[in-house]
Amino acid sequence: MPELLPDEVFYAQLPSVHLASGALLRDQSNRCLIVNPTYREDWLIPGGCVDEAESPFETCQREVEEEIGLSLEIGSLLSVEYVARHGPKGESVHFIFDGGILSPEQIDSIRLQTEEISEFRLLPLEEACELLDPLLAVRYRAAWRALESGICYLERGTPQTPS
């Protein structure tokens, strides 16, 4: 019988997977709130990488407050996507939560974290998706549909449906 490995050895040899979390935010006209990051070309949704000992839900709340200055009650999980390793990027799992409908007063009070975010826009879904990272656009459309139909699980940009 093989010798059992100590926990620290066993867990150290497991692959690491990065987690990210963001919010689907919209206005009363059903336009999507997207942000223009200063550190990359494609637009994103408010959100970011999960820190150590932080849940994806906590990350979503924290990142929304940091990036656009709004302390919101984040709602239900809308989508989860597994993304395989590609290029320099490792494996990752991305979560999108319902950030709710913003009031005109909330929109007027948005304050951007200018070190990371240069601007925000409220756009119809398809116009927003044209600016988003292509993988995020697929995930974002799925999250938008999940507002009506329930959580969507995706793998590598493809929604997975039960057989």
Side-chain angles (χ1 to χ4, degrees), residues 67-145:
E67 291 184 352
I68 63 172
L70 296 179
S71 179
L72 301 175
E73 287 191 31
I74 301 300
S76 300
L77 176 64
L78 297 174
S79 70
V80 178
E81 180 175 20
Y82 166 77
V83 179
R85 176 180 300 276
H86 60 283
K89 296 179 181 180
E91 286 180 291
S92 58
V93 177
H94 300 261
F95 300 83
I96 297 180
F97 292 90
D98 184 358
I101 298 171
L102 300 175
S103 69
E105 295 77 25
Q106 287 173 309
I107 293 166
D108 288 343
S109 69
I110 289 175
R111 299 293 172 260
L112 300 178
Q113 180 186 31
T114 55
E115 304 81 34
E116 288 189 24
I117 306 297
S118 63
E119 65 181 302
F120 77 93
R121 290 187 189 167
L122 287 160
L123 298 171
L125 177 62
E126 287 309 314
E127 285 182 42
C129 287
E130 288 174 15
L131 295 174
L132 295 175
D133 170 89
L135 277 178
L136 174 56
V138 172
R139 187 179 320 126
Y140 194 69
R141 284 184 190 98
W144 192 267
R145 287 189 304 273

Side-chain angles (χ1 to χ4, degrees), residues 22 51 53 58 65 98 110 118 121 136-138 152 154 158 163:
D51 289 341
E58 292 167 330
E65 188 165 0
D98 184 358
I110 289 175
S118 63
R121 290 187 189 167
L136 174 56
V138 172
C152 180
L154 302 96
T158 303
S163 311

